[in-house]
Amino acid sequence: MNNTPVTLKFLAEKLKMSVSTVSKALNNYPTINEYTKQRVQEMARDLHFTPNKSAINLKEKKSHIIGIILPNLLDHYFTRSIYGVEQFATQNGYNVIISQSHDDLKKEIQSANMLLRSRVDGLIVAISKHTQDFSHLDQFENMGIPVVYYARNPSFNLSCHKVLGNTFQGCYQATKFLIDRGHKKIAYLGGPKMINFTHDRFNGYINALNDNQVPFSSELVAYTDFDKENTISAIKNLFANPENMPTALVAFKEPIMFDAMKYLKSINHPDFDKIEYVGFGNTSFISYLDSPPIASIEENPESVGENAIKLLIQLINKEIDIHNYQKVVVDCKLIVHG
Amino acid sequence: MNNTPVTLKFLAEKLKMSVSTVSKALNNYPTINEYTKQRVQEMARDLHFTPNKSAINLKEKKSHIIGIILPNLLDHYFTRSIYGVEQFATQNGYNVIISQSHDDLKKEIQSANMLLRSRVDGLIVAISKHTQDFSHLDQFENMGIPVVYYARNPSFNLSCHKVLGNTFQGCYQATKFLIDRGHKKIAYLGGPKMINFTHDRFNGYINALNDNQVPFSSELVAYTDFDKENTISAIKNLFANPENMPTALVAFKEPIMFDAMKYLKSINHPDFDKIEYVGFGNTSFISYLDSPPIASIEENPESVGENAIKLLIQLINKEIDIHNYQKVVVDCKLIVHG
DNA sequence: AACAACATTTCAAACGTTTGAAATAATTGC
DNA sequence: GCAATTATTTCAAACGTTTGAAATGTTGTT
């Protein structure tokens, strides 16, 4: 209803005092008289004064905004990670702008430019599958805006801050768990080869085998690009040799594991019920499955997000020098079901 | 690396012209000489000039930001709805700030105040379960900032813009579908009674029964507050009377339906396999279930989000008067599985 | 009564942009 | 060659806030 916006100037006129007194009164300056403060604050409340962020941002040369670029909000890993970010950001007076790249480099570049224009105070980014050139993200550091890479490893970009899940350890632990349960033929179903995590996890797998004197067989390793057809042909390969049948499976991701399980069941694989499955993810739906996996690798995305925002805020506050590149690793936890 | 920020002033000094020429050149004013424009734009590119949004926002009295308040990013309904919002917002030059209320009124109020300070140009909100007082949201309209309520019906707030799923129609259609498949004893498992949708869906259910001459029995209706224990006791009630056994079930939400199914299976209910289930949601996970529901009610959250942002932008542009309250209803679609 | 000491308020510039009005420069017609 | 046009550039104020310096007001001391 009000047509004149309630600004400091407006309050000052009403109260017959100067704009600076009003400003200082609202910001609780010690040089302002107590009674004056009271009068100002009361008037501000009554007139629903809301400070204009754009003006403050301009003056302070801060936007109090943190940008997040991530592939996708349909993936629970990312939405869970945001939970950690948002909470800590809000506590520290920051707003969060989330932008989805949909794993498309063009959209990622667009998002980056848009956030740059918004003069975010810092950026948290999970790069798209196709990001190999980082110039759109390097712009930020060139302007002194800190960037924390998280969730996905930007292995092509050597000098940067990273917060990553300890995917090696997660896969090692899962494999070890299956070995301890007596398995000797443990298959590994990996993700797309272009994702670094695929190799890190494979290394966890193979190190666990080696450390526990379980022989490695290349027949027990296959990769999928997440496409269902592709997953099924991978699983066919894993179960191709009757002499070398897996009794357990470690999968890159629970959804592809479910596809694998569904396929094995659909062909009435004789050992379907005896095979033990472990995958990355810890989906809440697991409890509704008739033959649930024996365990899940919980990646603690909230913690990854929380560590990313904590590091970013330290960088913004210059508690850590922007060129003193940090790497934070968040361990996985094996969740045994049942 | 640059310590002096690249501003219009900086460019102007480099080019030995006035700030306004630079500004107008970059904004492609017709009064500016072509050659000048070229020189300015080139210099801007070379020096990586990025206009300062805070300054523009202050001048234009617009933030180019749209706020979204929603309960939760872990619920696929909401993340899917954001997909629709983000895309259209970006196309129209708006950024989106998402804030989660976690279904907590206090957090919702906090979020609202934060977005008000940020001077969002418009607000899209899915209210928390406990929102009955709307003063924190009414502030926006009082300042001339349009608000669109979506996804959750703010029935206590009569004069407002709404975009809602046609939950009545969805439930009617599901019930009708089951009737057409020959069911006479169709149970309805509702959500928390404080949510309006619970009643709308119930009305859809009962209207479908009436319109098709299927007798209604109150024994076949129960409610749950989403808590697992609570769901199980509801389902026990539904299946309590051996004289009046349901042969089909319409559920408020797929997750509670899964809980119900799991329970029935766990007690080895004799008719478990014969019962036909339909719930709201269309979870992708369904395909991994051994006994999947016969159909799902797809609520088209992307479309709900898209309609909300479209309406909001029309309101922002004053193509629709802010007090000419609109109601948009998005139909559900029954997805038959298998 | 004069002045130091302190309390309180106001001034004025700055942040980076936009934009109508005014000023200046270039071109045309005669 | 000079006024009249037209093209182009610059001026100056504004958006709403913050903040150090300057100005003003109030006490207390002698």
Side-chain angles (χ1 to χ4, degrees):
Chain A
M1 287 299 137
N2 289 335
N3 27 19
T4 39
V6 182
T7 64
L8 289 185
K9 193 174 157 204
F10 185 77
L11 290 182
E13 278 162 12
K14 285 260 168 203
L15 290 159
K16 296 191 196 314
M17 45 177 88
S18 77
V19 173
S20 31
T21 308
V22 175
S23 169
K24 287 175 178 169
L26 289 172
N27 289 308
N28 212 28
Y29 268 52
T31 68
I32 302 293
N33 182 285
E34 273 310 318
Y35 175 60
T36 309
K37 280 185 193 173
Q38 246 177 274
R39 286 208 308 145
V40 171
Q41 278 159 11
E42 195 177 326
M43 178 71 66
R45 202 173 329 107
D46 291 353
L47 267 52
H48 299 110
F49 169 74
T50 326
N52 182 317
K53 262 256 174 144
S54 297
I56 295 175
N57 293 346
L58 178 59
K59 190 82 231 293
E60 291 192 352
K61 297 175 175 234
K62 282 199 74 169
S63 64
H64 300 98
I65 295 176
I66 282 169
I68 306 187
I69 301 177
L70 43 73
N72 199 314
L73 284 174
L74 294 175
D75 186 331
H76 265 25
Y77 183 94
F78 292 115
T79 44
R80 285 179 60 194
S81 77
I82 288 175
Y83 189 91
V85 175
E86 206 198 32
Q87 199 153 345
F88 197 78
T90 309
Q91 277 168 28
N92 286 268
Y94 287 97
N95 287 165
V96 173
I97 293 188
I98 302 164
S99 189
Q100 304 184 62
S101 70
H102 299 287
D103 259 324
D104 176 24
L105 181 56
K106 271 213 194 88
K107 278 220 71 185
E108 182 177 285
I109 293 175
Q110 262 179 26
S111 299
N113 290 335
M114 171 283 259
L115 293 171
L116 196 65
R117 272 195 301 279
S118 295
R119 287 285 192 283
V120 292
D121 293 336
L123 181 69
I124 293 177
V125 51
I127 54 173
S128 89
K129 261 193 276 223
H130 310 103
T131 309
Q132 298 197 12
D133 176 280
F134 290 81
S135 46
H136 57 298
L137 298 168
D138 289 342
Q139 294 179 88
F140 288 83
E141 280 214 359
N142 292 339
M143 290 183 65
I145 300 170
V147 178
V148 172
Y149 291 80
Y150 92 124
R152 289 195 180 170
N153 192 355
S155 60
F156 299 97
N157 195 4
L158 293 173
S159 334
C160 66
H161 303 277
K162 321 180 180 181
V163 177
L164 299 170
N166 194 346
T167 201
F168 172 91
Q169 167 263 346
C171 210
Y172 185 100
Q173 206 179 345
T175 310
K176 176 75 163 57
F177 168 77
L178 291 169
I179 293 171
D180 288 348
R181 288 180 66 84
H183 293 281
K184 300 283 178 212
K185 307 273 187 186
I186 302 170
Y188 173 71
L189 177 57
K193 286 195 186 171
M194 59 191 309
I195 297 185
N196 301 296
F197 278 177
T198 302
H199 310 297
D200 294 339
R201 289 180 191 177
F202 175 73
N203 286 335
Y205 163 77
I206 207 156
N207 273 46
L209 293 184
N210 289 341
D211 290 355
N212 294 277
Q213 292 81 45
V214 177
F216 165 74
S217 155
S218 65
E219 283 182 343
L220 297 182
V221 175
Y223 297 93
T224 170
D225 63 2
F226 295 159
D227 178 70
K228 197 170 287 191
E229 299 299 309
N230 206 268
T231 302
I232 290 174
S233 86
I235 206 84
K236 274 183 186 160
N237 285 336
L238 290 177
F239 288 80
N241 183 356
E243 309 292 303
N244 203 12
M245 262 315 156
T247 62
L249 177 78
V250 178
F252 187 79
K253 227 177 182 218
E254 263 168 1
I256 64 168
M257 187 175 79
F258 296 149
D259 283 330
M261 290 166 73
K262 192 179 168 190
Y263 168 75
L264 287 174
K265 186 158 198 176
S266 75
I267 60 161
N268 286 313
H269 190 280
D271 300 323
F272 173 76
D273 284 331
K274 287 180 215 128
I275 301 168
E276 293 193 325
Y277 304 88
V278 183
F280 278 82
N282 197 23
T283 320
S284 63
F285 274 105
I286 279 179
S287 63
Y288 302 118
L289 289 175
D290 279 295
S291 347
I294 180 93
S296 296
I297 304 163
E298 167 61 67
E299 297 173 273
N300 295 312
E302 290 89 350
S303 173
V304 174
E306 200 178 312
N307 277 285
I309 182 75
K310 278 186 181 164
L311 172 56
L312 187 66
I313 288 185
Q314 285 180 300
L315 289 163
I316 291 174
N317 294 342
K318 301 196 195 292
E319 290 160 32
I320 297 176
D321 184 81
I322 194 168
H323 294 114
N324 176 12
Y325 293 112
Q326 304 287 313
K327 181 172 179 180
V328 179
V329 169
V330 176
D331 275 353
C332 297
K333 191 175 169 201
L334 194 76
I335 307 284
V336 181
H337 299 298
Chain B
M1 286 299 135
N2 289 336
N3 28 19
T4 39
V6 182
T7 65
L8 288 185
K9 194 174 158 206
F10 185 76
L11 290 181
E13 280 162 10
K14 285 260 169 203
L15 290 159
K16 296 190 195 315
M17 45 177 88
S18 78
V19 173
S20 31
T21 309
V22 176
S23 169
K24 286 174 178 169
L26 290 172
N27 289 309
N28 212 27
Y29 269 53
T31 68
I32 301 294
N33 181 285
E34 273 310 320
Y35 175 61
T36 310
K37 280 185 193 172
Q38 245 178 274
R39 287 209 307 143
V40 172
Q41 278 159 11
E42 194 177 326
M43 179 69 68
R45 202 174 329 105
D46 291 352
L47 268 52
H48 299 108
F49 169 74
T50 326
N52 183 317
K53 261 256 172 136
S54 298
I56 296 174
N57 293 345
L58 178 61
K59 191 81 231 295
E60 291 192 353
K61 296 175 177 235
K62 281 198 74 170
S63 64
H64 301 97
I65 295 177
I66 282 170
I68 305 186
I69 300 177
L70 44 73
N72 199 314
L73 284 175
L74 294 176
D75 187 331
H76 264 26
Y77 184 94
F78 292 115
T79 44
R80 284 179 61 194
S81 76
I82 288 176
Y83 188 91
V85 175
E86 205 198 33
Q87 200 154 343
F88 199 79
T90 308
Q91 275 168 29
N92 285 269
Y94 288 97
N95 287 164
V96 173
I97 293 188
I98 302 164
S99 189
Q100 303 184 64
S101 70
H102 300 287
D103 260 324
D104 175 23
L105 182 56
K106 272 213 192 92
K107 278 220 71 184
E108 183 176 285
I109 294 175
Q110 262 179 28
S111 298
N113 290 335
M114 174 280 263
L115 292 171
L116 196 65
R117 273 195 300 280
S118 296
R119 288 286 191 284
V120 291
D121 293 337
L123 181 69
I124 293 178
V125 51
I127 54 173
S128 90
K129 259 191 277 218
H130 310 104
T131 308
Q132 298 197 12
D133 176 279
F134 290 80
S135 46
H136 57 298
L137 298 168
D138 288 342
Q139 294 179 87
F140 287 83
E141 281 214 359
N142 292 338
M143 289 183 65
I145 301 170
V147 177
V148 172
Y149 290 81
Y150 92 124
R152 290 196 179 168
N153 192 353
S155 60
F156 301 96
N157 196 4
L158 293 174
S159 334
C160 66
H161 303 278
K162 321 181 182 183
V163 178
L164 298 171
N166 194 346
T167 200
F168 171 93
Q169 167 262 347
C171 209
Y172 185 101
Q173 205 178 346
T175 310
K176 176 76 164 54
F177 168 76
L178 291 169
I179 293 170
D180 288 348
R181 288 180 65 84
H183 293 281
K184 299 283 176 212
K185 307 272 187 188
I186 302 170
Y188 173 70
L189 177 57
K193 286 192 185 171
M194 59 192 310
I195 297 186
N196 301 297
F197 278 176
T198 302
H199 309 298
D200 294 339
R201 289 181 191 177
F202 175 73
N203 286 334
Y205 163 77
I206 208 156
N207 274 47
L209 294 185
N210 289 341
D211 289 357
N212 294 277
Q213 294 80 44
V214 176
F216 165 73
S217 154
S218 64
E219 283 183 342
L220 295 182
V221 175
Y223 297 93
T224 169
D225 62 3
F226 295 158
D227 178 71
K228 196 168 288 188
E229 299 297 311
N230 206 267
T231 302
I232 290 175
S233 86
I235 207 84
K236 274 184 186 160
N237 285 336
L238 290 177
F239 287 80
N241 184 355
E243 308 292 301
N244 202 14
M245 260 319 151
T247 62
L249 176 78
V250 179
F252 186 79
K253 226 178 184 218
E254 263 169 1
I256 64 169
M257 186 176 81
F258 297 149
D259 283 329
M261 290 166 72
K262 192 180 167 189
Y263 168 74
L264 288 174
K265 186 156 197 179
S266 74
I267 60 161
N268 285 313
H269 189 280
D271 300 323
F272 173 76
D273 283 332
K274 287 179 216 128
I275 301 168
E276 292 193 326
Y277 304 88
V278 183
F280 278 83
N282 196 23
T283 320
S284 63
F285 183 79
I286 278 178
S287 63
Y288 301 120
L289 289 175
D290 279 296
S291 345
I294 180 92
S296 296
I297 305 163
E298 168 61 67
E299 297 173 270
N300 295 314
E302 289 89 350
S303 172
V304 174
E306 199 177 312
N307 277 285
I309 182 76
K310 277 184 181 164
L311 172 54
L312 188 66
I313 287 184
Q314 285 179 301
L315 289 164
I316 291 175
N317 294 341
K318 302 196 195 292
E319 291 161 29
I320 298 176
D321 185 80
I322 192 167
H323 295 115
N324 176 11
Y325 293 112
Q326 305 287 313
K327 181 172 177 178
V328 179
V329 168
V330 176
D331 274 353
C332 297
K333 192 176 170 203
L334 194 75
I335 308 284
V336 180
H337 298 298

